[in-house]
Amino acid sequence: MVSRVIPVDEFDLVIFGGTGDLARRKILPGLYRRFASGQMPAGARIIGAARSDMDADGYRQMIADAVAEFGGTHDPAVLKDFLAHLDYVAIDAKGTDGWAELGSKVRDGVIHAFYFSVAPSLFGDIAQRLKEHGIAGDASRIVVEKPFGHDLGTAKALNATLAAYFDEGQIYRIDHYLGKETVQNLMAVRFGNMLFEPLWNSNYVDNIQITVAETVGVGGRGSYYDHSGAMRDMVQNHLMQLLCLIAMEPPAKFDPDAVRDEKLKVIRALDPVAPHHVVRGQYAATEGGTGYRDDVENPRSRTESFVALRVGIANWRWAGTPFYLRTGKKLRARTSEIAITFKDAPHSIFGEDAGWNRNVLTIKLQPNEGMTLDVTIKEPGPGGMRLIDVPLDMSFAEALGPDAEDIPDAYERLIMDVIRGNQTLFMRGDEVEAAWAWTDPLIAGWEKRGEVPQPYDAGSSGPEDAMMLMHRDGRKWREIRT
Ligand code: BG6
């Protein structure tokens, strides 16, 4: 297999917040790798724009350091060539300084993309100035990051702010989960194979589990996270997107609005979640280690660092099949997977004593991307017919060979999609609003009831009640392991 790198057209990419954490950790190292792979054309330019007073050389040095620190292995000669594509403008997002200079740097006749890697409170100011100074036009694209709002009201306000200056077709809302290779594979597996789709409904599927487990705590993001929590930080966006890709109807074609229309229908069909179908947790302090409340410096925090919930989808395909979602920090392993458990065969010709297993299709999103299908076979040896479960195991790294190493990470792919003008892997405004409309009452419910999340041990699988959520239904979670 040969991976094909198709260069994009010439572009000017302006990164507001170009000196910030995201730019240094993800965006610039990602662009460096696209450059090294040959995808960035000679006429590509990246302009950092931020408050700091520095010149282009200072910025190049900052980004050289960032690529060295966060970009993995790199070739110094290639990095030097890459840095020659970088420029910098010191700018005041709320004032007048720097805008004329930025305008003079952005060239005519190339693609224009503006990455808003800044606090959402600055979106309106930047959009307005881009338009006022004639820097952004009708063909320009803007890229915005999560969190896209804190609830439905704030998301609507942000959408309205952006809509005052740009059309929906120009707005690229990033959910980096959609840029992950295996997440896109969910669509390839479902809609590229005949094998699965006929069984992909409540007649054959008993339940679906979506797990996104992390071993890290909240790190240095305590003040953001404590106002957000796992529901807003992970479920409203990343897990919701995974749920949509698993549950949606086949779009007529792989085209941005066809895909996003189908995802939107899933979100709108979600049942409200009953309070006893949600479990919230908070990691406790361990001996010699800090707990969530220490990490966020809020001894009375009621914010969840773990959430598990049972979700229903009220449509013909899924009525009756529960979707179990869970995500949390400081859990026993870093793993993201989706497990589709099929129903029992209707009748065992081998008798109850032979054993009774279910087919489970597991799609592993990270790490060790791949798929396994648990299949029932005969236990080898004499002594009659006894059944055992064995996995048909496919690791994408093995199946794709060395090409798997060249797979761009989520940010690299998404930024290249912006330049190509392909919105398929970006959230549309109505999708984001629908996701908040479903999330808001749930959060309002536990806030009103004054619920305190249950403590769980760091390195565990989450609070005890999360286990009970499944046990009550006669099911159990899959083990959290890499
Ligand atoms: C981010 C969340 O969107 O996703 C973080 O804000 C979380 O809290 C991260 O750690 C997880 O992303 P990944 O790619 O490491 O699974």
Side-chain angles (χ1 to χ4, degrees):
M1 240 168 294
V2 179
S3 71
R4 285 174 301 137
V5 173
I6 303 168
V8 295
D9 292 337
E10 291 190 357
F11 62 85
D12 279 348
L13 169 65
V14 179
I15 306 175
F16 294 102
T19 57
D21 209 48
L22 184 72
R24 289 184 304 110
R25 278 175 188 273
K26 295 280 183 191
I27 305 173
L28 271 311
L31 285 163
Y32 162 74
R33 283 192 293 272
R34 287 299 87 210
F35 178 79
S37 76
Q39 198 163 22
M40 256 174 66
R45 279 232 319 250
I46 300 159
I47 305 168
R51 276 220 308 248
S52 312
D53 194 13
M54 69 171 105
D55 60 12
D57 280 339
Y59 189 58
R60 290 188 190 112
Q61 187 54 52
M62 173 187 256
I63 300 310
D65 295 344
V67 172
E69 190 174 351
F70 305 114
T73 50
H74 66 275
D75 178 333
V78 179
L79 179 58
K80 192 163 166 253
D81 289 348
F82 170 71
L83 295 175
H85 292 256
L86 263 54
D87 203 344
Y88 182 79
V89 180
I91 211 155
D92 179 1
K94 285 178 173 287
T96 51
D97 289 354
W99 290 96
E101 189 187 351
L102 181 63
S104 71
K105 286 188 191 268
V106 171
R107 298 165 296 168
D108 289 338
V110 299
I111 292 164
H112 297 158
F114 301 96
Y115 202 128
F116 291 17
S117 182
V118 293
S121 55
L122 293 176
F123 287 2
D125 292 305
I126 294 178
Q128 185 190 351
R129 282 163 181 74
L130 280 173
K131 278 297 175 103
E132 269 173 13
H133 289 82
I135 303 171
D138 292 347
S140 303
R141 293 145 205 181
I142 62 161
V143 185
V144 294
E145 279 286 334
K146 77 174 264 274
F148 198 85
H150 184 72
D151 52 21
L152 179 58
T154 46
K156 276 187 167 170
L158 272 184
N159 275 335
T161 302
L162 295 179
Y165 304 100
F166 297 97
D167 291 340
E168 183 61 34
Q170 298 179 274
I171 304 171
Y172 291 71
R173 294 177 194 78
I174 288 200
D175 180 317
H176 80 281
Y177 265 58
L178 287 176
K180 290 183 191 268
E181 184 71 15
T182 327
V183 174
Q184 291 165 69
N185 243 325
L186 292 176
M187 284 186 278
V189 166
R190 281 195 62 194
F191 306 128
N193 294 287
M194 189 56 198
L195 188 60
F196 302 114
E197 197 52 26
L199 306 180
W200 213 261
N201 56 58
S202 59
N203 294 332
Y204 297 98
V205 176
D206 177 77
N207 74 88
I208 295 183
Q209 295 185 26
I210 303 179
T211 299
V212 178
E214 298 183 275
T215 48
V216 291
V218 293
R221 301 161 72 223
S223 57
Y224 150 76
Y225 194 92
D226 205 36
H227 284 100
S228 172
M231 193 71 192
R232 289 187 169 101
D233 184 51
M234 295 295 285
V235 177
Q236 186 272 348
N237 37 75
H238 304 326
L239 276 84
M240 179 70 79
Q241 290 297 325
L242 299 180
L243 173 70
C244 285
L245 296 178
I246 283 289
M248 71 185 190
E249 295 302 313
K253 47 188 171 172
F254 191 56
D255 137 308
D257 279 328
V259 171
R260 297 185 299 175
D261 286 346
E262 295 305 336
K263 288 199 293 170
L264 179 62
K265 285 184 209 160
V266 173
I267 306 175
R268 288 189 173 154
L270 292 175
D271 283 329
V273 178
H276 64 286
H277 284 157
V278 189
V279 176
R280 295 162 68 234
Q282 203 179 59
Y283 60 85
T286 43
E287 222 180 278
T290 53
Y292 175 83
R293 291 177 173 189
D294 307 308
D295 290 352
V296 300
E297 295 173 5
N298 178 3
R300 301 177 138 195
S301 172
R302 292 182 171 185
T303 304
E304 75 286 353
S305 60
F306 173 99
V307 63
L309 52 162
R310 180 191 150 132
V311 177
I313 302 178
N315 64 19
W316 271 52
R317 187 187 282 266
W318 293 117
T321 296
F323 286 69
Y324 298 96
L325 275 46
R326 77 182 149 165
T327 183
K329 298 204 181 280
K330 289 249 174 143
L331 295 175
R332 68 186 322 156
R334 176 175 186 254
T335 180
S336 301
E337 64 166 41
I338 299 173
I340 296 119
T341 302
F342 292 89
K343 290 189 170 172
D344 289 336
H347 164 71
S348 168
I349 65 167
F350 307 110
E352 293 295 318
D353 295 344
W356 193 247
N357 300 305
R358 284 178 158 186
N359 299 124
V360 182
L361 175 68
T362 311
I363 302 165
K364 187 94 179 194
L365 306 176
Q366 62 186 26
N368 312 325
E369 294 85 344
M371 276 171 49
T372 58
L373 177 62
D374 293 348
V375 178
T376 301
I377 61 164
K378 178 186 170 299
E379 189 177 357
M385 186 63 95
R386 288 186 309 274
L387 305 180
I388 53 164
D389 243 6
V390 287
L392 278 177
D393 208 338
M394 180 176 72
S395 128
F396 290 144
E398 278 170 28
L400 302 175
D403 284 345
E405 287 161 25
D406 286 343
I407 291 174
D409 92 348
Y411 275 94
E412 296 172 48
R413 172 187 311 274
L414 293 174
I415 297 170
M416 290 299 107
D417 277 1
V418 173
I419 306 300
R420 285 198 200 92
N422 185 345
Q423 288 187 305
T424 310
L425 300 177
F426 297 84
M427 292 178 300
R428 213 168 51 193
D430 50 4
E431 245 184 284
V432 179
E433 290 184 12
W436 281 121
W438 176 78
T439 315
D440 276 2
L442 202 60
I443 297 175
W446 69 58
E447 281 175 355
K448 191 164 156 218
R449 293 188 296 276
E451 280 173 19
V452 180
Q454 287 179 15
Y456 61 93
D457 291 337
S460 71
S461 299
E464 198 58 29
D465 277 8
M467 309 299 140
M468 291 310 297
L469 178 73
M470 285 290 241
H471 288 174
R472 277 203 307 268
D473 292 352
R475 301 186 174 97
K476 61 179 194 213
W477 290 106
R478 291 171 59 78
E479 227 179 281
I480 296 181
R481 61 187 153 95
T482 40

